[in-house]
Amino acid sequence: VGKPVIVIDHGWYSELPDSVAVKIKPNDPAALVTAMAHITAALPTMQQAAVAYIATHHDPAAISQKYIAFAQEVTGRT
């Protein structure tokens, strides 16, 4: 959908690229305001980056092949 996001900089959210997500510390209202201003200013660029990221890293066909390869590796079957 091309929606950039604001996330708490913790866990797997920390792994999201800065081009698609603005990461903030928890319970920091000033950081949230700054993040919203950043997304507003960079919206077209972040939208394009979000669409490209999902297309590259979350394509259902590619992901399913990775699951199959992992299962084959773990079970020793091909």
Side-chain angles (χ1 to χ4, degrees):
V1 179
K3 302 282 185 192
V5 294
I6 299 171
V7 298
I8 301 299
D9 193 8
H10 181 74
W12 73 267
Y13 293 115
S14 297
E15 298 174 15
L16 291 170
D18 294 338
S19 60
V20 303
V22 178
K23 299 170 206 127
I24 62 173
K25 291 182 170 57
N27 302 317
D28 188 346
L32 180 57
V33 171
T34 301
M36 289 189 292
H38 174 74
I39 283 179
T40 301
L43 190 59
T45 303
M46 290 187 81
Q47 285 175 321
Q48 291 174 347
V51 168
Y53 179 78
I54 292 298
T56 302
H57 298 284
H58 296 281
D59 174 62
I63 295 298
S64 64
Q65 290 303 311
K66 289 181 181 183
Y67 277 120
I68 291 168
F70 174 73
Q72 289 173 335
E73 180 182 326
V74 170
T75 63
R77 298 181 184 179
T78 58

